[in-house]
Amino acid sequence: MNRRKRSSWKRPLIACIAVSAGIIPVLSVVLFVWPRTDTPRKVDAIVVLGGGGGGIRLAKGLKLALDGYAPTLLISTPEHSTCRYSLPRVSVICFHPSPGTTQGEARYVGKLASERHWSQIIVVSGRAQTTRARLRFDRCYHGTALFDPAGPVSIQDVVYEWGALAKALTIQRDC
C-alpha cells in the first residue's frame, strides 16, 4: 500500500509536466514572438521605447514620423542626453524615464498625454516586449495605444519577458 501511495502522485506530476511542456512554447509564440499588433494610422504622438533594440525601434519611429503618422515623436533614452533628432514638421521629445523601465516609460507618456490631451498614440516597442508594454500602457495611458513593434525575437528575449510579465502581473500591478 505504501508503494501505491508513493506512485499515486507521480502520474499527475508527469501529466502536469507534459501539458506544461506543450503549453509554454505555444504561449511563448503567441505572447512574445507573434504578439497582437496594430496597423499604424494617424495619431497624436509616436512613442519609441528604449532598451536593447533601440536602434531598430528608433529607425521605425523616425520613419513613421517622417511618413506623417503624428506631429510628435517621443524617444525614450537610456541616459540624460541632448535630443539630437530634428525632423521637419515633427516635434521631437527625448525623455529619460524614471524608473528606466517600460513601466517608467508608460508613466511618463501617460502623464504627458494627459497634459496634452492626446487620445491616440503609436508605441514602437520590441516585438517580444509588446504584450508587456501593452499591459503597462493600458494601466498608465487612458487613450488608444496602437502597437507597431520592431526587431527580431531571441530565446533570451522570451525568457526575459516571461519573468518581466510575471512581475508586471503580480508585483507591479499599478501604473
Side-chain angles (χ1 to χ4, degrees):
M1 177 115 173
N2 205 8
R3 183 180 179 154
R4 196 177 261 185
K5 279 186 179 181
R6 275 187 286 183
S7 66
S8 67
W9 62 269
K10 288 181 183 178
R11 284 186 184 180
L13 177 63
I14 291 169
C16 232
I17 290 170
V19 168
S20 295
I23 290 175
I24 290 175
V26 170
L27 280 176
S28 295
V29 168
V30 170
L31 294 173
F32 310 125
V33 179
W34 294 319
R36 183 170 64 90
T37 61
D38 304 292
T39 303
R41 63 178 183 246
K42 292 208 182 263
V43 295
D44 299 305
I46 298 163
V47 180
V48 178
L49 302 184
I56 295 169
R57 293 177 211 163
L58 180 59
K60 187 166 200 169
L62 290 168
K63 180 169 181 356
L64 287 168
L66 287 170
D67 288 346
Y69 283 97
T72 305
L73 174 64
L74 282 81
I75 302 169
S76 176
T77 59
E79 71 270 336
H80 296 285
S81 61
T82 58
C83 196
R84 64 181 199 268
Y85 304 99
S86 176
L87 301 174
R89 296 175 304 284
V90 177
S91 170
V92 180
I93 302 168
C94 293
F95 69 99
H96 178 70
S98 179
T101 62
T102 306
Q103 182 180 34
E105 291 166 328
R107 284 178 180 167
Y108 178 86
V109 172
K111 183 175 183 280
L112 188 62
S114 178
E115 291 169 3
R116 296 188 178 203
H117 307 288
W118 292 339
S119 61
Q120 293 187 10
I121 61 173
I122 295 172
V123 179
V124 180
S125 62
R127 183 163 303 280
Q129 176 191 29
T130 302
T131 299
R132 181 172 50 90
R134 190 179 293 278
L135 174 69
R136 294 286 192 197
F137 275 81
D138 282 349
R139 291 175 179 169
C140 299
Y141 172 67
H142 302 294
T144 301
L146 306 174
F147 285 79
D148 191 14
V153 177
S154 69
I155 295 291
Q156 292 87 348
D157 294 333
V158 171
V159 171
Y160 175 83
E161 285 302 327
W162 271 115
L165 182 61
K167 183 178 173 184
L169 290 169
T170 59
I171 298 169
Q172 297 176 336
R173 298 179 53 109
D174 62 339
C175 172

